[in-house]
Amino acid sequence: MSSSAVTAPFNRDALEQVLKRRFFFAPAFELYGGVSGLFDYGPPGCAFQANIVDTWRKHFILEEDMLEVDCTMLTPHEVLKTSGHVDKFADWMCKDLKTGEIFRADHLVEEVLESRLKGDKAARGIKVEEEEDEDKKKRKKKVKEIKNVKLDDEVVKEYENILAQIDGFSGPQLGELIVKYDITNPSTGGKLEPPIEFNLMFETAIGPSGNLKGYLRPETAQGQFLNFNKLLEFNNEKMPFASASIGKSFRNEIAPRAGLLRVREFLMAEIEHFVDPEDKSHPKFNQVKDIKLRFLPSGVQESGSTELIEKTIGEAVSTGLVDNETLGYFIARIYLFLLKIGVDTNRIRFRQHMSNEMAHYASDCWDAELQTSYGWIECVGCADRSAYDLSVHAAKTGEKLVVRQPLPEPITVEKFEIEISKKKFGPKFRKDAGSIEKWLLERNQTDLESLGNELTANGKIVIKVPGVEGETELDTELIKIEKVKRTEHIREFTPNVIEPSFGIGRIIYSIFEHQFWSRPEDVDRSVLSLPPLVAPTKVLLVPLSNSAELKPIVEKVSNVLRKNQIPFKVDDSSASIGKRYARNDELGTPFGITIDFESLKDESVTLRERDSTKQVRGSYEDIIDAIKQVTYFGSSWAEGTAKLTPFESQSTDA
Amino acid sequence: MSSSAVTAPFNRDALEQVLKRRFFFAPAFELYGGVSGLFDYGPPGCAFQANIVDTWRKHFILEEDMLEVDCTMLTPHEVLKTSGHVDKFADWMCKDLKTGEIFRADHLVEEVLESRLKGDKAARGIKVEEEEDEDKKKRKKKVKEIKNVKLDDEVVKEYENILAQIDGFSGPQLGELIVKYDITNPSTGGKLEPPIEFNLMFETAIGPSGNLKGYLRPETAQGQFLNFNKLLEFNNEKMPFASASIGKSFRNEIAPRAGLLRVREFLMAEIEHFVDPEDKSHPKFNQVKDIKLRFLPSGVQESGSTELIEKTIGEAVSTGLVDNETLGYFIARIYLFLLKIGVDTNRIRFRQHMSNEMAHYASDCWDAELQTSYGWIECVGCADRSAYDLSVHAAKTGEKLVVRQPLPEPITVEKFEIEISKKKFGPKFRKDAGSIEKWLLERNQTDLESLGNELTANGKIVIKVPGVEGETELDTELIKIEKVKRTEHIREFTPNVIEPSFGIGRIIYSIFEHQFWSRPEDVDRSVLSLPPLVAPTKVLLVPLSNSAELKPIVEKVSNVLRKNQIPFKVDDSSASIGKRYARNDELGTPFGITIDFESLKDESVTLRERDSTKQVRGSYEDIIDAIKQVTYFGSSWAEGTAKLTPFESQSTDA
């Protein structure tokens, strides 16, 4: 049940209080004052997370027979240098040299312009919505004072245009905006240094000598790429196939904020689907093609708008909005997964990356964004990383990372080939022979053609080999370069990679927002309507009284629940039944079983549903069967309880 | 089935080949030459690990209603300074300044003395066992050459005595042994520097300023301690209770070796059971008291022996060998868990830590050690950490980490109390007033008694307060110290902690060794007899031929397996049935279903058991039911297949 349908406006403070009080999660090291961007999950948060991971495993890994791996987080420098993270995995930060404060440049521009727009609205007498006020309160710490200053209509348009593409600016562009719009330290008005790059990886040293520099992985993907050959072999060389990994990654955020939405250590679930670059069709695309989704294409954003386009994923692929079937298949599967675990269907959109914000490896990318009181939040990325990663690692290590497939018909190809006279190479170049040979063998067809031409024209070529002193001269005694015709039986190619990548913590927080509401009759009675499948505890067992008479039947029901592996809790405290249920509504517990003195006679019990507070009565065995059907086998409450008797008499929720 | 019972001596090389070839695990970053001590788990290793974790969760967390938490790995300096890890979590290393090589001091002494003992045996003409030879081969890289030199009987005794307590020496003691026995760099004979301490934590910096020093956690325990108050509240203040955590920890080993047994990043599962220090009884101890275990007490080791003592855990606790029931209960539960997941009962022992090797926080500690070709390996620690951790964090942060329980009867206590005249303190001591007051309030009863006596005798006390210049004089105008009688209704205490701590990777490797064997009729056909409960894949589905006729029934059986959430693979390759099964015996797949042309007529299939290669026949529904019973509900093969027909005709394993 979504809050919007039934109750008062969403109240973030109330949600945060519940999450903290019931220890869903809490700032880590709070006893020591906390470290921003680090959070611990308490028992209900941990169980919710485990259930989401379990659902993910079944929805993706089991369904598609993916190969799950568990790779190390510690990663040596060289690997992340090759992948591009050492050079490019950075955010832009501005320092206030006077106070020592550090700001993330894009967030700073965003916050200042947004608050100016709000001040403008106020000056124009336009009412700002409740929800935004809530947000403003939080932000006040940063932006000292929102001045109610009316802006020129022209300026308002400029600001709105900038905000629509705030994720797309480079550091120097942000620096220009800061100068142009006179953006300063919001709390002091002090001048800021121009933005500089800050690499987001945590650095450490591996081994006792301190010489091997390493990082904590910023994503789980690299480990999967490096194991490509082993995975392909494990899959009996069959293509396409996917690997998957669930584990922690780390990003040293400049200024973590917004609770679980921007943290320094987080759980990721990533899929690397390896596909033939010449055939990105997907055999199961038909199963999803009619699913309707809301898209925000890059072109729309670049024109300064955020208007959504609704169409089926089938249309999106056939019109070229989404590049290919495999990318489209995963976008649809991501959507189905999000619905299954409790995301509100009305608060999902798929936003395409603009060309200037795309990660350094991606050739196309769509984010599943979820709407929260902090705005639209990127929760799942779905990128086509092309052949980037496998290519760079292969080039760096000299190991092939390719698929070799027998051709249906042999083909004839013409290729430049190089022939090296090894006998003469060794004596002539001694210790450099290996380097020169390696350099030559690494040349591509274009290089070989021009080297061949040079060799034919001059009888020699002069090359510069890295690591070899001076220039190297090679004549036709030493090498031959010729165009050769060959019949090939094997096609060799580097697969492309489609990568759905999930930030579990962000999804978890968004679901909390989407499923939190208060009972209209009592705003203090809040409910977390987590789907039974992922709720931390499925059943609360409530004996009507603490009487010893009821204990054996409580024990009996407990045993059956345990045997069926249904997570449950017993609450035999002296609080009223209504109060005991209310406490568990906050925890998202979907079902309650009440055991009363009737139960002693006929082993019947009452089953209560959290969202509707509806009740039914039946034998405890039938009741537990209904719980199983609704929780694990996708039945609705009406279907699962069809055979049970509606129960109205005692209003236990009073 | 344990290898020792049926076949040739264990062959580590053969096991390693299988584990690598079938991608159970592999050195991480192998493409880049690898980083020692880092390993990736491939699909079967990852599934095996996930199943062990799942079993752990059910065996411990669900069974005891423990509170699972998920805390961050990044940990600020201050927390680990307080816990003692910054100062004491170190190993001793020796450097060879000439070659730059670094050795772990205790391992070096152990290896050199062991190889000298082997050389001595050889010189005396005593045959060294096969298994040890295997080990020697591996070690040869380090210890260049084992010289067959006969040692004096006296020296042999000394060496054996040292090796029996090798885990107990301090750095300086190791330094003395190195000098006394002339231990040098084994590969060059070069002289080594005296041992120095090397902290095993990976260091990093949190946040963009670089000022907040942090480490990767060396254990998951600290996060649980820091959340103690929240957990106690979540548990409605009820004692005793346990928290639990499953996650990666990190140790920057000096010289990782022995594959998965000593790694730099590893999965831990840890329980912190919080208990009343005055009552360490356990309500369920009776359920385990008759379990027989093999113990290696500290006293036996200190006398230079490694002889095991066999007794029930009940006797061990009642005779005081194991300190208390709760510690004993967990030791027995650890044993049962290890059996469940495939550890050989004859290769488990519980070794007590000697007083000089005990971790800095422990008051008693037993390790579950598993015997492998590398010797006895610590796989689970079970320590009584007393009140150490909660006390140090409380003292450092000034936050109470205690349990408050109403006393059944109020009690009268006499206590020294201090009364400070705040009015006079401020003007007199100005900026130091706070420090002096804090110092006074932190005194314990013994301090207060002697300060009180001094005050009575001299009319003043003279104290030295850290941070306050010079000495501070306090007279009876400023403070009063008196013995007061009070009635107390609440008992306040710091719980003790019993901590079972599991190294999952070490357990996994030990199980591989315990369950690996070769068929007597063909040494190349090796089998991993993993218990069905934890085996990566439960069933291999094998159609007799690739004929299109068989496809629908394969699909039918697949669907039922999927519906029952039984992990399975289909192998419809053209290899012989025997070959297909042999490939999966290596992977530890316990069951095979053969679909043949008979199946088309009556939907009957054949079920094959991996270890015995026995077969039974029945309807595929009955067969799948039997698989479920044996895999998940603890039935034996005989029980689970009692209703099915033994099947002998075609020997599919030929």
Side-chain angles (χ1 to χ4, degrees), chain B residues 62 66 608:
Chain B
L62 286 188
M66 293 174 177
R608 171 206 186 247

Side-chain angles (χ1 to χ4, degrees), chain A residues 344-609:
Chain A
D344 179 355
T345 179
N346 296 313
R347 293 194 251 175
I348 308 178
R349 72 177 185 193
F350 286 88
R351 188 179 73 80
Q352 191 173 30
H353 279 208
M354 291 172 281
S355 53
N356 53 356
E357 70 167 312
M358 201 106 71
H360 60 268
Y361 46 73
S363 74
D364 189 13
C365 186
W366 288 87
D367 286 342
E369 293 189 332
L370 304 182
Q371 195 177 27
T372 72
S373 63
Y374 293 97
W376 287 96
I377 303 298
E378 172 202 343
C379 290
V380 188
C382 194
D384 185 335
R385 289 173 85 127
S386 70
Y388 175 82
D389 303 271
L390 294 180
S391 304
V392 292
H393 288 302
K396 176 70 187 174
T397 61
E399 299 277 348
K400 280 191 169 178
L401 295 171
V402 295
V403 173
R404 291 165 53 85
Q405 282 181 344
L407 287 164
E409 300 279 318
I411 53 166
T412 308
V413 288
E414 279 196 309
K415 277 210 292 197
F416 287 94
E417 288 191 356
I418 192 159
E419 194 185 306
I420 294 167
S421 168
K422 296 214 178 187
K423 263 190 199 160
K424 293 176 189 160
F425 243 59
K428 185 164 169 71
F429 298 112
R430 293 164 180 274
K431 70 170 176 46
D432 292 331
S435 308
I436 297 168
E437 201 178 317
K438 183 163 177 277
W439 187 91
L440 288 169
L441 293 176
E442 279 171 357
R443 293 312 95 194
N444 62 25
Q445 285 294 305
T446 325
D447 291 346
L448 284 182
E449 180 165 13
S450 73
L451 288 171
N453 291 343
E454 196 183 330
L455 190 64
T456 313
N458 309 338
K460 63 171 188 183
I461 58 171
V462 180
I463 58 173
K464 177 77 203 79
V465 178
V468 174
E469 217 172 302
E471 294 188 324
T472 305
E473 198 177 292
L474 299 164
D475 61 22
T476 49
E477 296 282 290
L478 290 161
I479 56 164
K480 285 193 173 52
I481 300 175
E482 274 166 8
K483 201 168 201 173
V484 208
K485 253 192 200 171
R486 290 214 186 277
T487 306
E488 293 194 342
H489 300 265
I490 295 282
R491 174 178 163 236
E492 193 177 277
F493 65 90
T494 303
N496 279 14
V497 176
I498 311 285
E499 178 192 79
S501 168
F502 297 70
I504 302 296
R506 289 181 172 194
I507 296 173
I508 282 177
Y509 178 78
S510 303
I511 295 172
F512 288 150
E513 280 211 5
H514 290 190
Q515 298 301 343
F516 181 74
W517 55 287
S518 300
R519 302 231 181 258
E521 65 274 20
D522 181 355
V523 287
D524 287 339
R525 291 184 57 182
S526 46
V527 184
L528 256 183
S529 291
L530 305 177
L533 182 65
V534 289
T537 301
K538 314 303 181 193
V539 184
L540 182 74
L541 206 57
V542 179
L544 188 66
S545 89
N546 218 338
S547 153
E549 263 186 284
L550 294 181
K551 286 213 161 40
I553 177 106
V554 171
E555 200 45 49
K556 223 167 181 175
V557 177
S558 295
N559 283 338
V560 178
L561 285 167
R562 205 173 288 123
K563 210 186 120 203
N564 280 280
Q565 303 197 346
I566 299 172
F568 71 101
K569 299 269 175 212
V570 179
D571 185 349
D572 54 6
S573 70
S574 56
S576 77
I577 292 218
K579 193 154 193 182
R580 282 185 266 173
Y581 278 135
R583 285 200 299 232
N584 279 273
D585 290 347
E586 275 184 357
L587 279 171
T589 308
F591 303 111
I593 292 179
T594 316
I595 291 173
D596 51 30
F597 292 94
E598 278 297 301
S599 314
L600 291 178
K601 294 184 209 151
D602 58 1
E603 303 210 321
S604 72
V605 297
T606 307
L607 174 65
R608 172 208 186 244
E609 198 273 334

Side-chain angles (χ1 to χ4, degrees), chain B residues 406-427:
Chain B
L407 288 164
E409 301 279 319
I411 52 167
T412 308
V413 287
E414 278 195 309
K415 276 210 294 198
F416 286 94
E417 289 191 355
I418 192 160
E419 195 182 305
I420 295 168
S421 168
K422 297 212 178 186
K423 262 190 200 159
K424 294 176 188 160
F425 243 59

